[in-house]
Amino acid sequence: MPSMTEPRELFLHELGDIYYAENQLVKALPKLIDEASDSELRTDLEGHLEQTKGHVDRLEKVFEALDEPAKGEKCPGIDGIITEHDEFMSKEDPSSEVCDLFLTGAGARAEHYEIAAYSGLVTMADALDEPRCAELFQQNLDEEKAALTKLEAAAKLLSKAGVRAAA
């Protein structure tokens, strides 16, 4: 017999998953900030760290609105993205230029994961008639999409600069 049988259980599982993921990113982003050599990229990452802390706060408000304890659910997806970063940095010992490009890609992978998670949570919150939760998820989703756009723009600029420097 299945142990998860109700949509609300899945909703809480997915909420715990993104709560864990956001908390892991709060821990990981300072390392990326230190690794970045491009000042604009560093500034963007610093801003995203503060934004991510705000996402955690909003998620805690969701838990509160649901009258549930704020509890993370181990998230292999975000753990894999973080592990991929750590292994690349230790094995490849990239130049500062390559490092900055890699950081934009690693950041984009995390943003795509978060966007997918929040999109699903908005849908579930609507279906479960939890409008306050949907609103909080939507705020995080909108910020994640904006962060992805910034990372993509940074990657284009860094790529063009790298090609010009190599020529």
Side-chain angles (χ1 to χ4, degrees):
M1 175 166 267
S3 62
M4 188 181 292
T5 58
E6 298 294 323
R8 181 178 168 87
E9 292 172 302
L10 175 61
F11 180 63
L12 292 173
H13 172 83
E14 294 297 312
L15 172 58
D17 181 275
I18 195 64
Y19 183 66
Y20 173 92
E22 293 285 22
N23 277 295
Q24 291 304 106
L25 290 171
V26 166
K27 293 176 189 173
L29 278 165
K31 185 188 320 181
L32 276 65
I33 292 165
D34 288 343
E35 292 168 347
S37 63
D38 181 80
S39 62
E40 287 184 46
L41 177 59
R42 190 178 308 111
T43 299
D44 287 349
L45 290 170
E46 288 168 347
H48 194 60
L49 173 58
E50 292 310 308
Q51 197 175 64
T52 302
K53 290 175 182 177
H55 295 169
V56 170
D57 290 341
R58 281 194 199 112
L59 292 173
E60 289 171 350
K61 288 178 184 167
V62 170
F63 280 110
E64 187 178 306
L66 296 169
D67 199 28
E68 294 284 342
K71 179 180 164 225
E73 186 77 36
K74 189 159 176 57
C75 173
I78 208 68
D79 286 341
I81 291 169
I82 292 168
T83 298
E84 179 182 22
H85 161 271
D86 293 346
E87 288 179 2
F88 176 85
M89 294 302 289
S90 68
K91 288 180 182 175
E92 300 302 330
D93 189 28
S95 67
S96 59
E97 180 181 281
V98 170
C99 177
D100 287 345
L101 283 169
F102 175 75
L103 292 175
T104 62
R109 284 186 286 284
E111 295 305 332
H112 281 286
Y113 184 88
E114 293 169 294
I115 288 167
Y118 284 120
S119 293
L121 283 163
V122 168
T123 301
M124 283 190 267
D126 285 339
L128 293 169
D129 196 28
E130 294 288 353
R132 177 69 178 137
C133 298
E135 176 186 324
L136 292 165
F137 293 141
Q138 188 65 53
Q139 289 174 9
N140 283 5
L141 176 59
D142 292 343
E143 289 178 358
E144 298 295 3
K145 288 178 178 179
L148 177 60
T149 299
K150 277 182 128 178
L151 279 169
E152 289 170 339
K156 285 178 186 174
L157 288 174
L158 291 167
S159 293
K160 285 180 183 178
V163 167
R164 280 192 295 270

